[in-house]
Every structure is written in structure tokens, then in C-alpha cells.
Amino acid sequence: MKKIYTLDCEQVFQPKMLTLSDKVMAPFSLSLENTSEEHTINKDQYVLLSPSAVLNDYPCPAEFEFEPAEGQSLEDFLKETATEYIDPFEKIEVYIDGIEIYELMKYRLSTDLFYFTGNPDLAECFDPCVTGASTGCN
């Protein structure tokens, strides 16, 4: 997700393979349509698969009223609000080499709090909380 936040407004909405390291590639698309995508990975590459993901970042402009409750840690706040985006997904299917992967929820994870600096241009088209300054995320 941090790599996505380095893109510009034109690139962020284009399906593509993101190169994360020498051999790690990740399919990426912001499509909300009920479609499937196919990507060819050569035998010397590895794929990081995330059928759904949320990067919650903070702080945001005041008009969004996106603030932790009094006494709530930033990490707990970001994890709690991320589940509001992920939990409504009722059906996600994953196939690897034609074999369906079942019980996807047992692979669900969330990261610890981390910080990143995103492309500030994304505030206009993608995420209004991206400022170009270091941002807390989860």
C-alpha cells in the first residue's frame, strides 16, 4: 500500500503490476467492479496477493471529523475504522493455479502502526488525508 501512495493521480487508477522488490510483484487495481484480473508471474518472481486492503491514514483535514476518541490510541482507532471498509465484503474468491483457496478469513491480518510519506497530489484525487508529510497508518 505504501508503494501505491507514491503514484500520481493518473497512475493510481490504472490496473498494473507493482514491483515491490527484485522478485516480488503485486497485482494492483482500485476497481470496485465484480471483475477478475489475470496476471502472469514468471518462475523467478513471487506474488503478494491481497484481494482487499485498506490503508487508513491520519491526520486528516478537520472537516472530515476523523479523530480517535478521547483516550483511544491511534493504532486502535485506525484498526477499528479499517474494519468498517473490509467487513462488508461478503464474497471474495481466490484461485492460485486454478485451485480455489478457502477460508480466506484465517489469513486476514492487520499491520502495526507505521508511518509513510505519500505523494501530496493524491489529496486531490484519491485520499484527502495525504499531505506529503509523515502520516500514521495502519
Side-chain angles (χ1 to χ4, degrees), residues 68-79:
E70 188 173 328
Q72 184 180 29
S73 74
L74 179 57
E75 184 169 8
D76 287 345
F77 169 68
L78 293 174
K79 282 183 181 181

Side-chain angles (χ1 to χ4, degrees), residues 3-131:
K3 175 78 172 180
I4 293 163
Y5 276 76
T6 66
L7 302 174
D8 61 30
C9 287
E10 186 176 310
Q11 295 172 315
V12 79
F13 291 105
Q14 299 297 317
K16 63 180 76 54
M17 291 295 289
L18 296 175
T19 301
L20 305 176
S21 68
D22 288 356
K23 295 183 185 246
V24 178
M25 314 256 318
F28 168 70
S29 174
L30 287 175
S31 174
L32 295 177
E33 299 172 14
N34 188 12
T35 61
S36 62
E37 295 181 28
E38 291 187 23
H39 301 279
T40 301
I41 307 298
N42 72 42
K43 66 183 179 92
D44 297 320
Q45 295 172 317
Y46 305 96
V47 65
L48 169 67
L49 177 66
S50 178
S52 65
V54 172
L55 186 135
N56 245 355
D57 49 334
Y58 179 88
C60 290
E63 64 264 21
F64 290 96
E65 299 179 1
F66 187 69
E67 297 286 334
E70 188 173 328
Q72 184 180 29
S73 74
L74 179 57
E75 184 169 8
D76 287 345
F77 169 68
L78 293 174
K79 282 183 181 181
E80 178 182 299
T81 55
T83 62
E84 295 169 11
Y85 294 99
I86 296 291
D87 286 352
F89 283 98
E90 294 179 5
K91 184 173 183 178
I92 296 175
E93 295 176 331
V94 174
Y95 293 84
I96 298 177
D97 291 335
I99 300 169
E100 185 170 8
I101 308 302
Y102 293 100
E103 299 182 52
L104 293 175
M105 292 305 287
K106 73 180 185 180
Y107 300 104
R108 185 175 179 174
L109 61 94
S110 63
T111 65
D112 294 331
L113 183 65
F114 64 92
Y115 291 85
F116 80 102
T117 301
N119 179 348
D121 293 341
L122 293 178
E124 298 299 319
C125 65
F126 180 63
D127 182 344
C129 300
V130 178
T131 62

